Amino acid sequence: MTTTHRNLIGGKEVAARSGATFENRSPFDPTDVIGLYPRSGADDVDAAVATAREGFAAWRRVPAPARGEILGRAGELLRARKEEIARLMAREMGKTLVEARGDVQEAVDTALYAQGEGRRLFGRTTHSELPDKAAFTLRRPLGVCGLISPWNFPVAIPSWKSLPALLCGNAVVLKPPREAPGCAEAFVRVLLDAGVEPRAVSLLHGSGEEAGRALVEHPGVAAISFTGSTEVGRGIAETCGRTLKRLSLEMGGKNAVLVAPDADLELALDGVLWGAFGTSGQRCTATSRLLLPDALHDSFVERLVARAGKLRLGDPLDEKTDVGPLVSAAQLERVAGWVKIAIDEGARVRCGGKRAEGLPGHFYAPTVLCDVRPEMRIAREEVFGPVLAVLRYRDLDEAFAWANAVDYGLSSSLYTNDVRLAFRAADELEAGITYVNAPTIGAECHLPFGGVKQTGNGHREGGWGAYEFFSEVKTVYVDYSGRLQRAQIDNR
Protein backbone atom coordinates (compact mmCIF):
# COMPACT_ATOMS: atom_id res chain seq x y z
CA MET A 1 0.00 0.00 0.00
CA THR A 2 1.34 3.43 -0.95
CA THR A 3 2.16 5.68 2.02
CA THR A 4 0.57 9.13 2.09
CA HIS A 5 2.80 11.85 3.49
CA ARG A 6 1.86 15.33 4.69
CA ASN A 7 3.39 18.72 5.20
CA LEU A 8 5.01 19.47 8.55
CA ILE A 9 3.76 22.77 9.99
CA GLY A 10 4.41 23.63 13.62
CA GLY A 11 5.51 20.05 14.25
CA LYS A 12 2.18 18.67 13.03
CA GLU A 13 1.36 16.66 9.92
CA VAL A 14 -1.00 18.63 7.71
CA ALA A 15 -2.50 17.69 4.34
CA ALA A 16 -2.73 20.22 1.54
CA ARG A 17 -5.95 22.18 1.93
CA SER A 18 -6.98 21.23 -1.60
CA GLY A 19 -6.46 17.55 -0.84
CA ALA A 20 -4.33 17.24 -3.99
CA THR A 21 -1.26 14.98 -4.02
CA PHE A 22 1.55 13.93 -6.33
CA GLU A 23 3.42 10.65 -6.72
CA ASN A 24 7.07 10.19 -5.83
CA ARG A 25 8.55 7.39 -7.98
CA SER A 26 12.00 5.83 -8.07
CA PRO A 27 14.08 6.86 -11.10
CA PHE A 28 15.69 3.39 -11.15
CA ASP A 29 12.38 1.54 -11.09
CA PRO A 30 9.52 3.82 -12.19
CA THR A 31 6.98 1.22 -11.01
CA ASP A 32 8.21 1.79 -7.44
CA VAL A 33 5.92 4.41 -5.90
CA ILE A 34 7.74 5.69 -2.83
CA GLY A 35 4.81 7.74 -1.57
CA LEU A 36 2.11 10.32 -2.15
CA TYR A 37 2.93 13.89 -1.11
CA PRO A 38 0.73 16.98 -0.74
CA ARG A 39 0.49 19.38 -3.63
CA SER A 40 0.46 22.57 -1.63
CA GLY A 41 -0.83 25.93 -2.79
CA ALA A 42 -1.10 29.52 -1.63
CA ASP A 43 -3.45 28.67 1.26
CA ASP A 44 -0.93 26.19 2.64
CA VAL A 45 1.85 28.76 2.31
CA ASP A 46 -0.28 31.24 4.26
CA ALA A 47 -0.69 28.71 7.08
CA ALA A 48 3.01 27.83 7.17
CA VAL A 49 4.13 31.46 7.19
CA ALA A 50 1.67 32.38 9.93
CA THR A 51 3.00 29.54 12.08
CA ALA A 52 6.58 30.50 11.25
CA ARG A 53 5.99 34.08 12.39
CA GLU A 54 4.86 32.73 15.77
CA GLY A 55 7.88 30.44 15.87
CA PHE A 56 10.22 33.29 15.03
CA ALA A 57 9.01 35.29 18.02
CA ALA A 58 9.96 32.41 20.34
CA TRP A 59 13.04 31.00 18.59
CA ARG A 60 14.85 34.32 18.22
CA ARG A 61 14.85 34.69 22.02
CA VAL A 62 16.74 31.41 22.51
CA PRO A 63 20.39 32.43 23.06
CA ALA A 64 22.54 31.78 20.02
CA PRO A 65 24.88 29.32 21.83
CA ALA A 66 21.82 27.34 22.92
CA ARG A 67 20.49 27.34 19.36
CA GLY A 68 23.90 26.05 18.32
CA GLU A 69 23.74 23.19 20.81
CA ILE A 70 20.38 22.14 19.39
CA LEU A 71 21.76 22.14 15.86
CA GLY A 72 24.77 20.18 17.08
CA ARG A 73 22.34 17.53 18.34
CA ALA A 74 20.75 17.55 14.88
CA GLY A 75 24.17 16.75 13.45
CA GLU A 76 24.54 13.77 15.77
CA LEU A 77 21.06 12.53 14.85
CA LEU A 78 21.93 12.85 11.16
CA ARG A 79 25.06 10.81 11.80
CA ALA A 80 23.02 8.11 13.57
CA ARG A 81 20.45 8.01 10.72
CA LYS A 82 22.99 8.36 7.93
CA GLU A 83 22.53 4.92 6.39
CA GLU A 84 18.74 5.06 6.59
CA ILE A 85 18.58 8.46 4.88
CA ALA A 86 21.24 7.51 2.31
CA ARG A 87 19.28 4.45 1.24
CA LEU A 88 16.13 6.55 0.89
CA MET A 89 18.10 9.05 -1.21
CA ALA A 90 19.44 6.34 -3.52
CA ARG A 91 15.94 4.96 -4.01
CA GLU A 92 14.28 8.36 -4.34
CA MET A 93 16.58 10.35 -6.66
CA GLY A 94 19.08 7.80 -7.97
CA LYS A 95 22.32 8.87 -6.30
CA THR A 96 24.64 5.93 -5.65
CA LEU A 97 24.96 4.81 -2.04
CA VAL A 98 28.52 6.07 -1.65
CA GLU A 99 27.46 9.52 -2.89
CA ALA A 100 24.26 9.50 -0.84
CA ARG A 101 26.25 8.83 2.32
CA GLY A 102 28.48 11.76 1.40
CA ASP A 103 25.41 13.95 0.92
CA VAL A 104 24.20 13.18 4.44
CA GLN A 105 27.70 13.60 5.86
CA GLU A 106 27.82 17.09 4.39
CA ALA A 107 24.72 17.92 6.42
CA VAL A 108 26.37 16.45 9.52
CA ASP A 109 29.41 18.66 8.96
CA THR A 110 27.22 21.71 8.34
CA ALA A 111 25.32 21.11 11.59
CA LEU A 112 28.51 20.83 13.63
CA TYR A 113 29.88 23.97 12.00
CA ALA A 114 26.62 25.74 12.86
CA GLN A 115 27.01 24.69 16.47
CA GLY A 116 30.35 26.48 16.62
CA GLU A 117 28.95 29.58 14.95
CA GLY A 118 26.47 29.84 17.83
CA ARG A 119 29.35 31.34 19.82
CA ARG A 120 30.69 33.39 16.93
CA LEU A 121 27.86 35.71 15.87
CA PHE A 122 30.30 38.53 16.39
CA GLY A 123 29.57 42.20 16.07
CA ARG A 124 32.15 44.98 16.22
CA THR A 125 33.00 47.61 18.80
CA THR A 126 34.65 50.89 17.94
CA HIS A 127 35.37 54.27 19.50
CA SER A 128 32.74 56.96 19.21
CA GLU A 129 33.80 60.38 17.96
CA LEU A 130 32.16 61.82 21.12
CA PRO A 131 33.25 61.39 24.75
CA ASP A 132 31.38 59.10 27.12
CA LYS A 133 29.65 57.30 24.29
CA ALA A 134 29.94 53.63 23.25
CA ALA A 135 29.38 52.28 19.74
CA PHE A 136 28.98 48.67 18.67
CA THR A 137 27.09 46.38 16.31
CA LEU A 138 24.96 43.25 16.75
CA ARG A 139 23.86 40.50 14.35
CA ARG A 140 20.07 40.21 14.29
CA PRO A 141 17.75 37.70 12.54
CA LEU A 142 15.66 38.63 9.53
CA GLY A 143 12.34 36.91 10.28
CA VAL A 144 10.73 34.15 8.20
CA CYS A 145 13.01 32.77 5.48
CA GLY A 146 11.68 30.84 2.49
CA LEU A 147 14.05 28.10 1.36
CA ILE A 148 13.69 26.46 -2.07
CA SER A 149 16.03 23.50 -2.55
CA PRO A 150 16.88 21.26 -5.55
CA TRP A 151 16.72 17.50 -5.94
CA ASN A 152 20.38 16.74 -6.67
CA PHE A 153 21.56 17.28 -3.08
CA PRO A 154 18.31 16.60 -1.22
CA VAL A 155 19.80 16.71 2.31
CA ALA A 156 23.05 18.67 1.97
CA ILE A 157 21.55 21.78 0.35
CA PRO A 158 18.58 22.04 2.75
CA SER A 159 21.20 21.90 5.51
CA TRP A 160 23.24 24.69 3.86
CA LYS A 161 20.16 26.90 3.92
CA SER A 162 18.22 25.98 7.04
CA LEU A 163 21.00 25.50 9.59
CA PRO A 164 22.57 28.97 9.20
CA ALA A 165 19.11 30.53 9.04
CA LEU A 166 18.02 28.83 12.25
CA LEU A 167 21.31 29.50 14.03
CA CYS A 168 20.86 33.21 13.34
CA GLY A 169 17.43 33.08 15.00
CA ASN A 170 15.17 32.99 11.95
CA ALA A 171 12.19 30.75 11.28
CA VAL A 172 12.22 28.78 8.02
CA VAL A 173 9.73 27.36 5.56
CA LEU A 174 11.40 24.74 3.35
CA LYS A 175 9.93 23.95 -0.07
CA PRO A 176 11.79 20.86 -1.32
CA PRO A 177 11.73 19.48 -4.88
CA ARG A 178 9.00 17.17 -6.07
CA GLU A 179 11.67 14.65 -7.09
CA ALA A 180 13.06 14.17 -3.56
CA PRO A 181 10.43 15.06 -0.95
CA GLY A 182 11.18 12.11 1.31
CA CYS A 183 14.76 13.17 2.03
CA ALA A 184 13.58 16.66 2.98
CA GLU A 185 11.01 15.16 5.35
CA ALA A 186 13.69 12.99 6.97
CA PHE A 187 15.89 16.06 7.43
CA VAL A 188 13.15 18.22 8.96
CA ARG A 189 12.19 15.43 11.35
CA VAL A 190 15.81 15.41 12.54
CA LEU A 191 15.58 19.13 13.30
CA LEU A 192 12.36 18.64 15.24
CA ASP A 193 13.73 15.65 17.14
CA ALA A 194 16.83 17.65 18.04
CA GLY A 195 14.72 20.30 19.74
CA VAL A 196 14.28 23.13 17.27
CA GLU A 197 11.18 25.17 18.13
CA PRO A 198 8.52 23.31 16.08
CA ARG A 199 6.85 26.49 14.84
CA ALA A 200 10.23 27.77 13.57
CA VAL A 201 10.67 25.06 10.94
CA SER A 202 8.02 23.99 8.45
CA LEU A 203 8.12 21.67 5.44
CA LEU A 204 5.83 22.44 2.53
CA HIS A 205 5.69 20.05 -0.41
CA GLY A 206 4.53 20.97 -3.90
CA SER A 207 5.57 22.39 -7.24
CA GLY A 208 7.64 25.46 -7.89
CA GLU A 209 4.86 27.00 -9.95
CA GLU A 210 2.37 26.75 -7.07
CA ALA A 211 3.97 26.44 -3.61
CA GLY A 212 7.31 27.94 -4.61
CA ARG A 213 5.81 30.97 -6.30
CA ALA A 214 3.45 31.61 -3.38
CA LEU A 215 6.35 31.43 -0.93
CA VAL A 216 8.41 33.91 -2.95
CA GLU A 217 5.48 36.33 -3.24
CA HIS A 218 4.29 36.09 0.35
CA PRO A 219 4.50 39.44 2.20
CA GLY A 220 5.30 37.69 5.48
CA VAL A 221 8.55 36.23 4.14
CA ALA A 222 11.62 38.38 4.73
CA ALA A 223 14.17 36.46 2.65
CA ILE A 224 14.38 33.80 -0.05
CA SER A 225 17.22 31.36 -0.63
CA PHE A 226 16.91 29.53 -3.96
CA THR A 227 19.00 26.88 -5.69
CA GLY A 228 17.97 25.93 -9.21
CA SER A 229 18.05 27.07 -12.80
CA THR A 230 19.12 30.52 -13.94
CA GLU A 231 15.83 30.98 -15.78
CA VAL A 232 13.74 30.40 -12.66
CA GLY A 233 16.16 32.36 -10.49
CA ARG A 234 15.86 35.38 -12.76
CA GLY A 235 12.09 35.41 -12.25
CA ILE A 236 12.47 35.10 -8.48
CA ALA A 237 14.92 38.01 -8.52
CA GLU A 238 12.36 40.19 -10.28
CA THR A 239 9.73 39.41 -7.64
CA CYS A 240 12.11 39.93 -4.72
CA GLY A 241 13.34 43.16 -6.27
CA ARG A 242 9.81 44.55 -6.42
CA THR A 243 9.05 43.49 -2.84
CA LEU A 244 12.50 44.36 -1.43
CA LYS A 245 13.08 40.85 -0.10
CA ARG A 246 16.61 39.73 0.62
CA LEU A 247 17.55 37.06 -1.93
CA SER A 248 20.32 34.50 -2.34
CA LEU A 249 20.51 32.75 -5.72
CA GLU A 250 22.58 29.67 -6.54
CA MET A 251 22.04 28.72 -10.17
CA GLY A 252 23.67 27.13 -13.20
CA GLY A 253 27.22 26.22 -14.12
CA LYS A 254 29.29 25.26 -17.15
CA ASN A 255 32.43 24.20 -15.37
CA ALA A 256 35.74 23.55 -17.10
CA VAL A 257 38.80 21.48 -16.29
CA LEU A 258 42.00 22.75 -17.88
CA VAL A 259 44.78 20.21 -18.23
CA ALA A 260 48.17 21.89 -18.60
CA PRO A 261 50.97 20.25 -20.63
CA ASP A 262 52.90 19.48 -17.43
CA ALA A 263 49.96 17.94 -15.53
CA ASP A 264 49.92 14.61 -13.72
CA LEU A 265 47.76 12.89 -16.32
CA GLU A 266 46.66 9.97 -14.17
CA LEU A 267 45.46 12.35 -11.48
CA ALA A 268 43.73 14.52 -14.08
CA LEU A 269 42.02 11.49 -15.60
CA ASP A 270 40.66 10.40 -12.21
CA GLY A 271 39.42 13.91 -11.54
CA VAL A 272 37.71 14.35 -14.90
CA LEU A 273 35.87 11.04 -14.61
CA TRP A 274 34.63 11.83 -11.11
CA GLY A 275 33.73 15.42 -11.95
CA ALA A 276 31.90 14.59 -15.19
CA PHE A 277 30.06 11.40 -14.28
CA GLY A 278 29.59 11.51 -10.50
CA THR A 279 25.87 11.92 -9.67
CA SER A 280 25.34 11.17 -13.38
CA GLY A 281 26.56 14.69 -14.10
CA GLN A 282 23.64 16.17 -12.16
CA ARG A 283 25.61 18.70 -10.15
CA CYS A 284 25.81 22.43 -10.66
CA THR A 285 29.58 21.98 -10.21
CA ALA A 286 29.85 18.99 -12.59
CA THR A 287 32.74 18.97 -15.05
CA SER A 288 30.98 19.84 -18.29
CA ARG A 289 33.99 20.94 -20.36
CA LEU A 290 37.51 19.54 -20.68
CA LEU A 291 40.23 21.68 -22.25
CA LEU A 292 43.23 19.70 -23.52
CA PRO A 293 46.42 20.89 -25.20
CA ASP A 294 47.07 19.70 -28.76
CA ALA A 295 49.98 17.49 -27.73
CA LEU A 296 47.96 15.55 -25.15
CA HIS A 297 44.50 15.58 -26.71
CA ASP A 298 44.38 12.30 -28.61
CA SER A 299 46.10 10.10 -26.03
CA PHE A 300 44.18 11.57 -23.10
CA VAL A 301 40.84 11.15 -24.86
CA GLU A 302 41.64 7.52 -25.66
CA ARG A 303 42.32 6.80 -22.00
CA LEU A 304 39.26 8.77 -20.93
CA VAL A 305 36.95 6.90 -23.31
CA ALA A 306 38.34 3.55 -22.17
CA ARG A 307 37.73 4.39 -18.51
CA ALA A 308 34.27 5.90 -19.11
CA GLY A 309 33.21 2.78 -20.98
CA LYS A 310 33.96 0.65 -17.93
CA LEU A 311 31.77 2.59 -15.52
CA ARG A 312 29.04 0.37 -14.14
CA LEU A 313 25.48 1.65 -14.51
CA GLY A 314 22.77 0.12 -12.35
CA ASP A 315 20.78 0.04 -9.17
CA PRO A 316 21.99 2.92 -6.97
CA LEU A 317 21.39 0.70 -3.92
CA ASP A 318 24.00 -1.76 -5.24
CA GLU A 319 27.42 -0.98 -3.74
CA LYS A 320 29.08 -1.94 -7.06
CA THR A 321 27.24 0.70 -9.10
CA ASP A 322 29.31 3.65 -10.34
CA VAL A 323 26.59 5.66 -12.11
CA GLY A 324 22.91 5.74 -11.23
CA PRO A 325 19.93 6.91 -13.28
CA LEU A 326 18.95 10.44 -14.15
CA VAL A 327 16.31 11.76 -11.82
CA SER A 328 13.35 11.64 -14.22
CA ALA A 329 12.14 10.80 -17.70
CA ALA A 330 12.05 14.53 -18.45
CA GLN A 331 15.69 14.89 -17.47
CA LEU A 332 16.61 11.93 -19.68
CA GLU A 333 14.88 13.55 -22.65
CA ARG A 334 16.62 16.84 -21.93
CA VAL A 335 20.07 15.25 -21.91
CA ALA A 336 19.35 13.31 -25.10
CA GLY A 337 18.22 16.53 -26.73
CA TRP A 338 21.48 18.31 -25.85
CA VAL A 339 23.55 15.50 -27.34
CA LYS A 340 21.52 15.67 -30.56
CA ILE A 341 22.11 19.42 -30.75
CA ALA A 342 25.84 18.83 -30.28
CA ILE A 343 25.96 16.24 -33.05
CA ASP A 344 23.99 18.49 -35.38
CA GLU A 345 26.52 21.27 -34.75
CA GLY A 346 29.46 19.01 -35.62
CA ALA A 347 30.53 17.33 -32.37
CA ARG A 348 31.69 13.72 -32.59
CA VAL A 349 30.57 11.07 -30.09
CA ARG A 350 33.52 9.09 -28.76
CA CYS A 351 31.52 7.06 -26.26
CA GLY A 352 27.95 6.99 -25.00
CA GLY A 353 25.67 9.38 -26.85
CA LYS A 354 22.56 7.30 -26.21
CA ARG A 355 20.23 5.92 -23.59
CA ALA A 356 21.74 2.99 -21.74
CA GLU A 357 20.12 -0.30 -22.71
CA GLY A 358 19.02 -3.21 -20.55
CA LEU A 359 18.14 -1.13 -17.49
CA PRO A 360 14.64 -0.28 -16.27
CA GLY A 361 15.11 3.36 -15.26
CA HIS A 362 16.17 6.71 -16.68
CA PHE A 363 19.76 5.90 -17.69
CA TYR A 364 21.95 7.78 -20.13
CA ALA A 365 25.36 6.36 -20.99
CA PRO A 366 28.42 8.41 -19.90
CA THR A 367 29.19 10.46 -23.00
CA VAL A 368 32.38 12.05 -24.31
CA LEU A 369 32.05 14.51 -27.22
CA CYS A 370 35.07 15.62 -29.25
CA ASP A 371 35.58 18.15 -32.07
CA VAL A 372 33.74 20.67 -29.87
CA ARG A 373 34.31 24.33 -30.66
CA PRO A 374 33.80 27.08 -28.09
CA GLU A 375 30.92 28.66 -30.02
CA MET A 376 28.83 25.46 -29.95
CA ARG A 377 25.86 25.35 -27.60
CA ILE A 378 27.21 22.19 -25.95
CA ALA A 379 30.28 24.23 -24.96
CA ARG A 380 28.25 27.12 -23.53
CA GLU A 381 24.99 25.85 -22.01
CA GLU A 382 24.31 23.65 -18.99
CA VAL A 383 23.35 20.03 -19.70
CA PHE A 384 23.00 18.59 -16.18
CA GLY A 385 23.76 15.06 -17.26
CA PRO A 386 26.70 12.69 -17.89
CA VAL A 387 27.97 14.55 -20.96
CA LEU A 388 31.52 15.90 -21.30
CA ALA A 389 32.51 18.30 -24.11
CA VAL A 390 36.21 18.15 -25.02
CA LEU A 391 37.93 21.19 -26.55
CA ARG A 392 41.45 21.23 -27.99
CA TYR A 393 43.51 24.37 -27.24
CA ARG A 394 46.76 25.68 -28.76
CA ASP A 395 48.19 27.60 -25.81
CA LEU A 396 47.25 28.51 -22.26
CA ASP A 397 46.09 32.00 -23.19
CA GLU A 398 43.50 30.41 -25.45
CA ALA A 399 42.56 27.88 -22.76
CA PHE A 400 41.90 30.57 -20.16
CA ALA A 401 39.90 32.62 -22.67
CA TRP A 402 37.71 29.64 -23.59
CA ALA A 403 37.19 28.67 -19.95
CA ASN A 404 35.81 32.17 -19.31
CA ALA A 405 33.77 32.40 -22.52
CA VAL A 406 30.47 31.29 -20.96
CA ASP A 407 27.66 33.04 -19.10
CA TYR A 408 28.23 31.02 -15.93
CA GLY A 409 30.99 31.15 -13.34
CA LEU A 410 30.60 28.57 -10.59
CA SER A 411 33.51 26.11 -10.47
CA SER A 412 36.77 25.65 -12.35
CA SER A 413 39.81 23.40 -12.22
CA LEU A 414 43.41 23.35 -13.42
CA TYR A 415 45.79 20.39 -13.40
CA THR A 416 49.42 21.50 -13.34
CA ASN A 417 52.69 21.09 -11.44
CA ASP A 418 53.65 24.73 -12.06
CA VAL A 419 52.89 26.85 -8.97
CA ARG A 420 53.00 30.05 -11.04
CA LEU A 421 50.32 28.71 -13.36
CA ALA A 422 48.22 27.62 -10.38
CA PHE A 423 48.15 31.15 -9.01
CA ARG A 424 47.44 32.55 -12.46
CA ALA A 425 44.38 30.31 -12.62
CA ALA A 426 43.20 31.53 -9.22
CA ASP A 427 43.44 35.09 -10.52
CA GLU A 428 42.15 34.72 -14.09
CA LEU A 429 39.42 32.08 -14.02
CA GLU A 430 36.01 33.76 -13.77
CA ALA A 431 34.47 31.45 -11.20
CA GLY A 432 33.50 31.51 -7.56
CA ILE A 433 35.58 28.38 -6.96
CA THR A 434 38.90 27.26 -8.46
CA TYR A 435 40.48 23.91 -7.72
CA VAL A 436 44.10 23.09 -8.47
CA ASN A 437 44.85 19.40 -9.10
CA ALA A 438 41.32 18.41 -8.07
CA PRO A 439 38.01 18.09 -9.95
CA THR A 440 35.35 20.80 -10.13
CA ILE A 441 33.30 19.10 -7.39
CA GLY A 442 34.02 18.70 -3.69
CA ALA A 443 32.94 21.74 -1.64
CA GLU A 444 33.61 21.83 2.11
CA CYS A 445 31.00 23.19 4.51
CA HIS A 446 33.19 25.77 6.27
CA LEU A 447 34.10 27.65 3.07
CA PRO A 448 31.88 29.89 0.92
CA PHE A 449 30.14 28.22 -2.03
CA GLY A 450 28.78 30.18 -4.97
CA GLY A 451 29.54 31.73 -8.32
CA VAL A 452 29.71 34.81 -10.47
CA LYS A 453 27.99 36.02 -13.66
CA GLN A 454 24.71 34.14 -14.24
CA THR A 455 25.49 31.56 -11.57
CA GLY A 456 24.49 33.77 -8.66
CA ASN A 457 23.74 37.22 -7.30
CA GLY A 458 26.77 37.72 -5.08
CA HIS A 459 25.77 35.86 -1.93
CA ARG A 460 27.40 32.62 -0.79
CA GLU A 461 26.21 29.44 0.84
CA GLY A 462 28.54 27.58 3.19
CA GLY A 463 31.10 29.09 5.53
CA TRP A 464 30.64 32.46 7.16
CA GLY A 465 28.91 33.92 4.10
CA ALA A 466 25.68 32.08 4.89
CA TYR A 467 25.51 33.59 8.38
CA GLU A 468 26.03 37.05 6.92
CA PHE A 469 23.14 36.49 4.52
CA PHE A 470 20.71 35.21 7.16
CA SER A 471 21.36 38.05 9.61
CA GLU A 472 21.58 41.80 9.46
CA VAL A 473 23.76 44.33 11.22
CA LYS A 474 22.27 46.55 13.89
CA THR A 475 24.29 49.52 15.14
CA VAL A 476 23.91 50.50 18.80
CA TYR A 477 24.99 53.79 20.41
CA VAL A 478 25.03 54.17 24.20
CA ASP A 479 25.57 57.73 25.39
CA TYR A 480 26.38 57.78 29.09
CA SER A 481 27.52 61.42 29.23
CA GLY A 482 24.30 62.64 30.78
CA ARG A 483 24.00 65.52 28.33
CA LEU A 484 22.83 66.08 24.74
CA GLN A 485 25.66 65.46 22.29
CA ARG A 486 24.93 66.42 18.72
CA ALA A 487 27.62 64.40 16.91
CA GLN A 488 29.10 66.40 14.03
CA ILE A 489 27.67 69.65 15.37
CA ASP A 490 29.26 69.55 18.83
CA ASN A 491 32.54 67.83 18.04
CA ARG A 492 33.72 70.30 15.37
Side-chain angles (χ1 to χ4, degrees):
M1 183 177 177
T2 302
T3 302
T4 298
H5 297 257
R6 292 177 173 82
N7 295 321
L8 290 171
I9 300 177
K12 299 176 181 179
E13 295 187 5
V14 182
R17 295 196 175 187
S18 68
T21 61
F22 65 90
E23 287 185 338
N24 177 25
R25 291 177 178 264
S26 165
F28 172 70
D29 178 6
T31 66
D32 176 15
V33 180
I34 298 168
L36 296 176
Y37 288 82
R39 182 176 164 182
S40 305
D43 289 344
D44 304 294
V45 172
D46 283 342
V49 172
T51 300
R53 289 172 70 87
E54 295 174 2
F56 170 65
W59 179 247
R60 69 186 295 271
R61 300 192 182 282
V62 177
R67 295 195 297 258
E69 290 178 9
I70 292 171
L71 298 185
R73 287 201 294 273
E76 295 304 330
L77 287 173
L78 283 165
R79 193 196 309 275
R81 301 176 191 178
K82 181 176 178 178
E83 188 65 17
E84 172 192 343
I85 297 174
R87 297 188 75 84
L88 171 61
M89 190 182 304
R91 179 186 175 204
E92 183 173 61
M93 59 75 59
K95 189 174 286 192
T96 63
L97 264 180
V98 67
E99 291 188 79
R101 292 175 184 132
D103 192 309
V104 181
Q105 183 60 47
E106 194 161 348
V108 173
D109 297 343
T110 301
L112 299 182
Y113 180 76
Q115 179 176 6
E117 288 300 296
R119 297 183 182 273
R120 287 171 43 86
L121 285 183
F122 298 140
R124 296 190 181 195
T125 60
T126 189
H127 295 283
S128 170
E129 62 187 37
L130 294 168
D132 300 325
K133 185 176 181 181
F136 58 94
T137 66
L138 301 171
R139 306 295 306 190
R140 309 302 294 165
L142 306 175
V144 177
C145 299
L147 315 178
I148 302 174
S149 62
W151 47 261
N152 59 333
F153 281 85
V155 173
I157 291 181
S159 80
W160 291 3
K161 298 179 184 299
S162 61
L163 295 174
L166 289 167
L167 190 281
C168 290
N170 301 289
V172 301
V173 178
L174 172 63
K175 207 297 287 182
R178 289 176 55 131
E179 295 86 352
C183 288
E185 181 180 333
F187 174 71
V188 169
R189 289 191 183 279
V190 163
L191 296 179
L192 295 171
D193 290 347
V196 173
E197 159 63 50
R199 294 168 298 171
V201 55
S202 290
L203 175 70
L204 208 63
H205 297 289
S207 70
E209 294 81 0
E210 295 173 333
R213 182 186 298 275
L215 188 60
V216 169
E217 294 176 348
H218 200 287
V221 173
I224 294 290
S225 178
F226 168 79
T227 299
S229 73
T230 297
E231 179 183 4
V232 174
R234 187 177 290 113
I236 291 174
E238 292 174 355
T239 299
C240 290
R242 289 195 305 272
T243 56
L244 299 180
K245 281 186 174 68
R246 185 171 293 195
L247 172 65
S248 175
L249 295 173
E250 192 56 54
M251 301 178 291
K254 190 65 180 177
N255 315 294
V257 167
L258 283 68
V259 177
D262 70 326
D264 179 333
L265 299 184
E266 194 63 33
L267 180 63
L269 182 59
D270 288 343
V272 170
L273 282 162
W274 175 232
F277 304 126
T279 322
S280 302
Q282 299 173 119
R283 295 181 183 228
C284 52
T285 54
T287 301
S288 189
R289 295 178 292 156
L290 172 61
L291 278 65
L292 294 171
D294 279 330
L296 297 178
H297 178 278
D298 292 350
S299 60
F300 193 94
V301 169
E302 289 298 329
R303 295 172 66 186
L304 174 64
V305 166
R307 289 277 299 274
K310 294 179 182 177
L311 293 172
R312 292 165 294 189
L313 282 63
D315 186 348
L317 286 165
D318 185 339
E319 299 277 6
K320 296 179 181 179
T321 295
D322 296 315
V323 180
L326 296 174
V327 74
S328 66
Q331 189 67 11
L332 178 62
E333 291 298 324
R334 184 175 185 273
V335 172
W338 275 115
V339 173
K340 182 180 185 302
I341 289 170
I343 293 170
D344 290 345
E345 290 188 343
R348 180 163 56 99
V349 175
R350 291 298 312 273
C351 69
K354 60 182 180 180
R355 296 171 173 81
E357 299 175 353
L359 292 166
H362 311 308
F363 286 89
Y364 199 86
T367 298
V368 175
L369 299 172
C370 288
D371 297 342
V372 175
R373 301 183 304 277
E375 67 272 15
M376 289 180 176
R377 293 183 67 189
I378 198 67
R380 295 184 290 108
E381 301 185 42
E382 188 174 43
V383 175
F384 227 64
V387 178
L388 179 65
V390 183
L391 293 84
R392 183 196 299 259
Y393 70 82
R394 290 167 295 187
D395 56 49
L396 286 165
D397 289 339
E398 184 173 69
F400 280 107
W402 288 355
N404 291 334
V406 294
D407 291 333
Y408 303 107
L410 180 52
S411 188
S412 56
S413 167
L414 170 71
Y415 283 85
T416 183
N417 286 311
D418 184 340
V419 66
R420 293 171 298 181
L421 186 56
F423 277 89
R424 179 186 173 188
D427 180 59
E428 287 196 27
L429 288 173
E430 296 172 356
I433 307 167
T434 293
Y435 295 90
V436 177
N437 293 327
T440 56
I441 61 179
E444 300 181 27
C445 76
H446 58 293
L447 290 166
F449 179 93
V452 300
K453 299 193 280 191
Q454 292 191 23
T455 289
N457 65 336
H459 294 291
R460 292 292 183 267
E461 296 190 303
W464 57 92
Y467 298 85
E468 293 173 350
F469 174 77
F470 284 113
S471 63
E472 57 190 358
V473 175
K474 181 174 185 177
T475 301
V476 180
Y477 298 102
V478 179
D479 190 323
Y480 52 94
S481 68
R483 63 185 184 276
L484 174 64
Q485 301 194 87
R486 297 177 298 173
Q488 294 80 10
I489 294 173
D490 290 341
N491 68 353
R492 292 290 185 270

